[in-house]
Amino acid sequence: MCIHSSSNMEPSVTTPVYQNFINGHFLANKSGKTFDVTNPATGEVIYAVEIADEFIQNAAIASAKQGFAQWSAMSPIERSRILLKAVAILRERNDELALVEVLDTGKPMQEANCVDIETGADVIEFFAGLAPAQVGQQQMVGSDFYYTRKEPLGICAGIGAWNYPLQIACWKSGPALAAGNAFIFKPSEETPLGAIKLAEIFVEAGVPAGVFNVVQGAGDVGQWLTQHTDIDKVSFTGEVGTGKKVVASAAGSLKDVTMELGGKSPLIVFDDANIEQAVSAAMLGNFYTQGEVCTNCTRIYVHKNVYQQFIDELKTRTEQNIIAGDPQDLNTNFGALISKKHQDLVMSYVNKGIAEGATLLTGGTTLSPASAPNGYFVAPTVFIDCNDDMSIVKEEIFGPVMSVLVFDDEDDVIKRANGTHLGLAAGVFTSDIKRAHRVIHQLQAGICWINAYGNSPAEMPVGGYKQSGIGRENGIETLYTYTQTKSVYVGMTDIESPF
Ligand code: NAD
């Protein structure tokens, strides 16, 4: 990092400027171009970041190549030990790193200091533990035999979204590094600092220079990564539309891809459910991280027999228990949206909901809390009288906007829940164990919860059905998506040749 006057600010104001992180250290670009990063809770520019120009891009590839040579030659147990040191540092610095995330994203500190860093560290720890357990197979074929080796892919790239910046960087780099790959990560241009902190921590832990590099910039830098012929895989988190561009671009060099995309997930509440618990799940799945969570259950289908009870409790708790304000205040449990542009987009959906005939149960406005008057807040919003054709019910909003729908029949609600091109997550609340599994098995979604919502432990694979994604993150299976299998045939007898 260096400190200088940012070009687009008053000359007297100095803003930190972060460089790209290449080959174990910060590296200045040649173009001198930067972009500004704003704290969404104050609307103020907090630092600037240098854009990865051609010089940086070439340096990142050269760095990752030599990092890969060194890292892949180490034994898995050596890699595991080093990664576990990084895990320990992440946990030691939890509060400092949580503050980075709070300032970049606008989310409440009471979430970031117990979820964001911890869930990132958990995933690196999980894959570090698995690294030495990667085994091949061997089999006799007649008197010859073959064996297989799990080899790393080479250089992998990660492209992140802005809602869980450091966690996303950990979820992508954890399995990649454990399998012996080098990595080039591009965080979202809205939240670029967490990945830099992770890069510094990897170096401090003993990960060789060049193994984890961070390049900064917007979509054009992301696109460069997806089309580069020296990059073997790209793991992307972001919108469905961007994901399609990434897959198309990666196809040019036949890269492997993992796609973690958007959702419009249903939560089905049956009339035998614990309603208090179901309301808790609905609120967590719509208002946690002010609604900016990909798996959010933004379509809540409630059985007609418990509908009134459900919405009464939902309205009371939403109006009484949510505290919007300065995200650094530990009492705040509802933060600011990522940007003014996103606040406007979320409000445009609120207005569409009203125009298309839904009724506001609560919320529906922007907020200007006394402790953060310039932040980009939208009130926790619940629509009732919704139908499946409304824009607010069909499209991902990625903000605190919940739609409640009524149902009567189990088969019908399953059909309605599946009536979308997305399939990231789904949930069911019922006290009937047979119904719980019967229904969940018919829902077209990759991440499902029964009498729970949102938990995503490192051990559990996560990813989308339909247009919500390709491949999985976390869980044992993900490690193997960062490896390729080499089969080695061993001849034990003389070759019989007709030539
Ligand atoms: P986005 O698609 O706008 O951007 C994501 C990343 O892609 C950013 O780093 C951006 O710079 C980069 N990018 C943009 N254009 C690109 C291109 N042509 N080629 C390569 N990279 C490009 O998404 P966002 O607004 O940052 O994030 C919100 C979205 O992410 C939501 O749709 C949300 O559901 C999704 N999301 C999904 C998951 C999941 O695990 N499934 C997790 C978090 C967020």
Side-chain angles (χ1 to χ4, degrees), residues 61-234:
I61 296 290
S63 158
K65 275 187 185 168
Q66 71 87 25
F68 175 68
Q70 202 181 339
W71 187 238
S72 60
M74 288 167 74
S75 72
I77 209 152
E78 278 177 285
R79 292 200 295 261
S80 174
R81 271 187 216 121
I82 293 171
L83 291 174
L84 289 173
K85 276 190 201 148
V87 170
I89 301 171
L90 279 164
R91 295 209 171 111
E92 266 162 41
R93 307 225 178 118
N94 181 73
D95 290 0
E96 174 200 323
L97 296 167
L99 182 60
V100 167
E101 298 297 80
V102 168
L103 294 174
D104 270 10
T105 63
K107 68 170 67 188
M109 179 55 110
Q110 64 159 252
E111 289 182 17
N113 72 8
C114 66
V115 171
D116 291 52
I117 318 308
E118 252 182 64
T119 54
D122 283 355
V123 166
I124 299 179
E125 187 173 37
F126 175 74
F127 286 109
L130 287 178
Q134 295 173 81
V135 287
Q137 303 169 320
Q138 76 81 27
Q139 189 178 14
M140 297 305 296
V141 278
S143 46
D144 295 349
F145 69 97
Y146 79 87
Y147 65 94
T148 61
R149 287 164 53 81
K150 289 287 176 199
E151 296 188 349
L153 298 172
I155 304 174
C156 300
I159 300 175
W162 42 257
N163 57 341
Y164 281 84
L166 184 58
Q167 186 212 62
I168 291 172
C170 292
W171 283 24
K172 294 189 185 308
S173 60
L177 266 53
N181 299 283
F183 212 74
I184 305 177
F185 187 74
K186 190 200 87 63
S188 165
E189 61 275 30
E190 317 240 33
T191 55
L193 189 49
I196 297 175
K197 296 287 173 192
L198 179 63
E200 289 178 311
I201 286 170
F202 275 142
V203 169
E204 193 178 328
V207 174
V211 174
F212 184 79
N213 307 276
V214 180
V215 293
Q216 303 281 7
D220 54 333
V221 178
Q223 208 205 335
W224 161 74
L225 284 170
T226 62
Q227 66 194 22
H228 201 288
T229 48
D230 288 337
I231 293 176
D232 300 286
K233 175 181 171 95
V234 59

Side-chain angles (χ1 to χ4, degrees), residues 107-116 119 163-164 280-294 296 322 333-335 337 380 398-400 453-454:
K107 68 170 67 188
M109 179 55 110
Q110 64 159 252
E111 289 182 17
N113 72 8
C114 66
V115 171
D116 291 52
T119 54
N163 57 341
Y164 281 84
S280 295
M283 290 180 70
L284 272 171
N286 278 275
F287 303 142
Y288 205 70
T289 313
Q290 54 286 332
E292 296 166 327
V293 179
C294 53
N296 271 358
I322 291 189
N333 60 19
F334 188 84
L337 296 181
F398 218 56
Y453 207 88

Side-chain angles (χ1 to χ4, degrees), residues 210-343:
V211 174
F212 184 79
N213 307 276
V214 180
V215 293
Q216 303 281 7
D220 54 333
V221 178
Q223 208 205 335
W224 161 74
L225 284 170
T226 62
Q227 66 194 22
H228 201 288
T229 48
D230 288 337
I231 293 176
D232 300 286
K233 175 181 171 95
V234 59
S235 176
F236 173 81
T237 298
E239 288 178 4
V240 174
T242 319
K244 288 178 184 173
K245 289 186 201 161
V246 168
V247 173
S249 175
S253 52
L254 286 179
K255 277 182 194 22
D256 190 13
V257 292
T258 298
M259 293 283 128
E260 295 292 338
L261 309 177
K264 191 73 194 176
S265 303
L267 174 69
I268 304 176
V269 181
F270 285 95
D271 57 357
D272 58 357
N274 177 326
I275 297 302
E276 193 191 337
Q277 289 281 300
V279 169
S280 295
M283 290 180 70
L284 272 171
N286 278 275
F287 303 142
Y288 205 70
T289 313
Q290 54 286 332
E292 296 166 327
V293 179
C294 53
T295 50
N296 271 358
C297 47
T298 45
R299 294 182 292 144
I300 311 276
Y301 290 94
V302 184
H303 193 277
K304 70 174 185 3
N305 294 347
V306 289
Y307 175 73
Q308 196 58 47
Q309 186 191 350
F310 183 91
I311 61 168
D312 288 348
E313 177 157 351
L314 177 61
K315 181 174 161 65
T316 306
R317 286 172 59 183
T318 302
E319 289 175 356
Q320 287 179 3
N321 300 348
I322 291 189
I323 305 165
D326 175 3
Q328 290 185 61
D329 180 342
L330 283 171
N331 291 315
T332 297
N333 60 19
F334 188 84
L337 296 181
I338 188 69
S339 62
K340 174 81 177 77
K341 189 172 156 216
H342 194 53
Q343 184 192 37

